[in-house]
Structure formats: C-alpha cells, structure tokens
C-alpha cells in the first residue's frame, strides 16, 4: 500500500471510498446484543469515550488492531504513536480500503470521521497534524478496537 496523505483522505471523504474486502451487515439489535454498552454507544451511535480511559491508550507493544464489531483488520501497532490526546493514535491504516472516511460537520466543526469500511462502525476521526512522513493522526476510540491474536 502506498502511504495515504491528507489530500487522499479528503478526496475519499468527499468523492467516495474504496470498496471494502468484505461487508458485515447486522441489525441494531444484533449489534447491541454483541457489544458492551460503551462499545455500542461509540461504534453504532457515533459516541466518544472519555480521553485517557481506554485500554489501548497507553499500550505500545507489537500487534494488530481490528474492529471490535466485525474483527476487520484496521491498524498495525508499528504505526501507533503517543499523541498526548488521550486516545490511541495511528499514522496509517493497514490497507487503503480498511477505513471509510466521511465529512463530519457536527458540533460546529468540520472534521473527517473514520468508520470501519466493513461494518460502518464509528472509530474516531483523522486529522492532518500527525508525525512525518504521513502527517496523519488517526485518533481512535479505544473501545472501538480490539487487539487481534497473531
């Protein structure tokens, strides 16, 4: 995968995202039964967890992270960094089509929302203030991620 950049992210958000490798469709009741109350609120209702509260916030060991809803692979720990924001932050997803991007105009701001491209779970947002070389900061809700077994 070539590195994503802010221009590419904005293009996806405004003009359409790459097709996912797979789609996972469930009813709201099925998601609610499967997920913890907080994970359901964040991923299915587009909520946000409290900063510095998530289990993945201060964890920097090797591994891979998937969507807590459908298990789709999203990030590798090698792209994780300490952003100081209180949420797990990554510079790049594992694949160009792992994340879906959507312009978010809520709360009087314009941001780019990140969703799992397989099941539409709300993950967080991406910002153009990350470290080089990508300059991206994928600011994720810890509760939206699960550490995958290798």
């Amino acid at each position: 995968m070539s590195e994503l950049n802010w221009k590419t992210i904005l293009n996806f958000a405004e003009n359409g995202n790459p097709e996912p490798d797979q789609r996972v469709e469930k009813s709201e009741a099925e998601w609610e039964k499967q997920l913890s109350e907080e994970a359901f609120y964040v991923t299915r209702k587009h909520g946000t967890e409290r900063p510095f509260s998530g289990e993945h916030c201060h964890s920097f060991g090797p591994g891979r992270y998937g969507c807590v809803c459908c298990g789709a692979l999203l990030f590798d720990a090698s792209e994780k960094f300490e952003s100081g924001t209180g949420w797990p932050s990554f510079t790049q997803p594992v694949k160009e089509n792992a994340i879906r991007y959507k312009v978010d105009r809520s709360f009087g701001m314009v941001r780019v929302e990140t969703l799992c491209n397989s099941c539409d779970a709300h993950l967080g947002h991406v910002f153009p203030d990350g470290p080089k070389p990508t300059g991206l900061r994928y600011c994720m809700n810890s509760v939206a991620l699960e550490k995958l077994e290798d």
Side-chain angles (χ1 to χ4, degrees):
M1 174 183 96
S2 61
E3 287 186 344
L4 295 173
N5 59 48
W6 187 242
K7 184 178 177 182
T8 304
I9 299 301
L10 290 176
N11 184 53
F12 287 155
E14 294 171 354
N15 300 309
N17 291 278
E19 288 297 316
D21 291 340
Q22 64 176 358
R23 284 292 302 159
V24 177
E25 306 277 344
K26 293 185 180 184
S27 69
E28 186 167 329
E30 289 172 308
W31 288 124
E32 193 167 17
K33 184 177 179 180
Q34 172 188 324
L35 301 166
S36 72
E37 186 176 328
E38 185 179 25
F40 179 78
Y41 167 72
V42 168
T43 62
R44 308 322 300 182
K45 298 296 185 183
H46 301 261
T48 301
E49 68 189 357
R50 288 184 341 272
F52 302 102
S53 68
E55 71 174 297
H56 303 304
C57 187
H58 301 293
S59 170
F60 291 93
R64 300 177 309 156
Y65 293 86
C67 174
V68 72
C69 294
C70 70
L73 180 60
L74 302 173
F75 297 100
D76 188 276
S78 65
E79 299 291 340
K80 195 167 190 259
F81 69 99
E82 176 55 67
S83 66
T85 62
W87 291 279
S89 296
F90 300 85
T91 59
Q92 194 83 187
V94 293
K95 292 168 58 173
E96 184 176 272
N97 69 343
I99 305 291
R100 186 164 67 89
Y101 305 94
K102 181 179 172 188
V103 176
D104 176 359
R105 290 183 170 85
S106 63
F107 305 109
M109 314 179 242
V110 178
R111 303 179 290 175
V112 176
E113 179 183 10
T114 56
L115 302 111
C116 173
N117 205 18
S118 294
C119 73
D120 300 329
H122 170 74
L123 304 170
H125 291 84
V126 61
F127 302 95
D129 60 4
K132 293 181 179 185
T134 68
L136 299 174
R137 175 174 54 95
Y138 285 80
C139 188
M140 303 292 96
N141 286 285
S142 186
V143 73
L145 304 174
E146 66 178 354
K147 193 93 177 259
L148 301 174
E149 298 294 323
D150 285 328

